Structures are given as C-alpha cells and as structure tokens.
Amino acid sequence: MSMSPDHTMPGVLGRRGFLTASLAAVGGLAAMGGCNVVAPVAAIIAGPPKRDAQFILPKQRTVVFVDDRRGVIPLRSRQVRRRIGSSVTNVLNTRDDLLPGLMIDAGDAIAMADARDRGGGLMSLGQLGQEIGAEVLIAVRVDAFTLRPGGEPLPTAQAAVWILDIPGRTRLFPPMDAREPAVTVTASLDMGTGQDARNESATIELFFALADALGVEIGKLFYRHEIKEVGARLGVRE
C-alpha cells in the first residue's frame, strides 16, 4: 500500500495536513466574518494578557500599614485592617522575586499606631516606619468597603496605595512628579455573595474574605500578573 509523503493513509489528514487544513479553515472564516475569528485564535496562542509590575520594591525591611481613620469599614475595623495588611504581607513574603524574610508584621504596625491614637496623639507614617524598624512603608488607605454597593449583592473594597522611603523621607511610588499621589486598587467578591450576610457572624466572614481579596490585588502591584477578563471588578486604577 502506497503512503502519502507525510506517512498517512489516503483520505486521512496527517499532522501537517491537519495544520494546513485548520489554517485554511480559519482563513476562510476570517474572510467570511472579518477579523472576528483571527483575534481569538491569536489570543489563545499568546495566552492570557499580562500586566507588568507597577513598582519594583527595593530589597529592604518593609511594612504594610492599613489606615481607616475615616471609619469606612463598618464592622470590626481593626481586624479587617489586619487582614488586609496580612494578605499583602503574605504575597510579598511568599514570592521569591519579592521580599521573602524582609516583611514586618502588619498587625504590629496597626497596634502601634492605634495605641498612639488612643493616647491622644496621631502618629505620622514616617514616625511609624522609624519606630517599627522599616525602611519602606506601604501605605494603604481604605476608601470603600461594602457588601452591597448601590444595593447590589457584590462585596467591593477600594483603597489608595502609596509607598514611602522612611530614611529618605520621600515617596517612592507613585513618583513625586506623578499627577496623583496614590494609585487606586479595587477588589470584589462574586456577584450575589453579599446575600450571604444573614447575621453578624456571616457578615464578618465576608468582610474577612473581602479584606483578603483586596490584599491580594494590592500585592499584584509589585509583580507581573495575568489581567482579569474585561468587566471584572479587580485591579488598579492610576
């Protein structure tokens, strides 16, 4: 029995024949429907889109401080702030390309600042960084934290983030000449999750889950990562 040059039986497409036929089919569909087919095929080949790190953290002792002096978090504010800070710290501490072994406990920073506040004197971020032994301070100001924004059961949190050089007494990120002094990071849980807040205990669990999600999104500022699908309420806005 004679074989075709690509060693397939007559009537059966081999590896090369299949590829040629597939590309021809894509070309035919593209001709029929414009560029609507080629773009998805290219996306599959290239993989999910990625975003570069917004800032490369220096390899120095670093602490995350989460502030809610505006009273945005409606319940268990201190615990929620600790969860956000711990979530960011965990991202930075567990990735080899970030700051393993260089992170200071975010809870310690919150406890120190809160103790000073209760004593009647507000502590500056520079003072906090110095007293806790940090060279770099990642400041997080919670601007929104709700289970039902606009009445929708879609737990959403938003925070402003900036980074300070403690010994140098300057802002590292965004740079001093940036239009905005901070970047905005947003995170949300799945649609409908807000309906699960049937009592205080369930509400607190949702708050903690939302805090963890916000911390993960803040951590993504500092390494290359996949971008969520269009429409997902996660990510960074400068």
Side-chain angles (χ1 to χ4, degrees), residues 25-68:
V26 170
L29 288 172
M32 293 171 58
C35 297
N36 294 332
V37 174
V38 176
V41 171
I44 292 173
I45 294 172
K50 293 186 176 182
R51 181 169 189 168
D52 290 335
Q54 298 297 291
F55 179 73
I56 303 300
L57 288 164
K59 303 293 185 181
Q60 297 175 324
R61 293 279 289 169
T62 300
V63 69
V64 180
F65 176 68
V66 183
D67 179 32
D68 182 35

Side-chain angles (χ1 to χ4, degrees), residues 128-207:
L128 175 61
Q130 286 179 342
E131 293 193 20
I132 207 163
E135 297 168 279
V136 174
L137 185 144
I138 301 172
V140 179
R141 186 190 69 224
V142 181
D143 289 335
F145 203 94
T146 178
L147 298 185
R148 300 180 66 89
E152 294 184 5
L154 181 69
T156 301
Q158 190 173 86
V161 181
W162 65 100
I163 302 170
L164 301 176
D165 174 356
I166 299 303
R169 300 184 179 183
T170 189
R171 191 177 72 221
L172 296 174
F173 175 78
M176 294 300 293
D177 59 354
R179 184 177 61 182
E180 299 293 338
V183 295
T184 299
V185 180
T186 303
S188 64
L189 303 182
D190 293 336
M191 174 65 79
T193 309
Q195 294 176 336
D196 295 337
R198 295 177 297 274
N199 52 50
E200 182 174 324
S201 177
T203 298
I204 292 170
E205 288 304 311
L206 281 175
F207 276 13

Side-chain angles (χ1 to χ4, degrees), residues 64-83:
V64 180
F65 176 68
V66 183
D67 179 32
D68 182 35
R69 288 183 178 138
R70 298 180 178 183
V72 170
I73 303 171
L75 191 66
R76 302 286 182 92
S77 176
R78 184 174 180 181
Q79 289 178 277
V80 171
R81 289 161 58 211
R82 289 177 68 103
R83 287 292 286 251

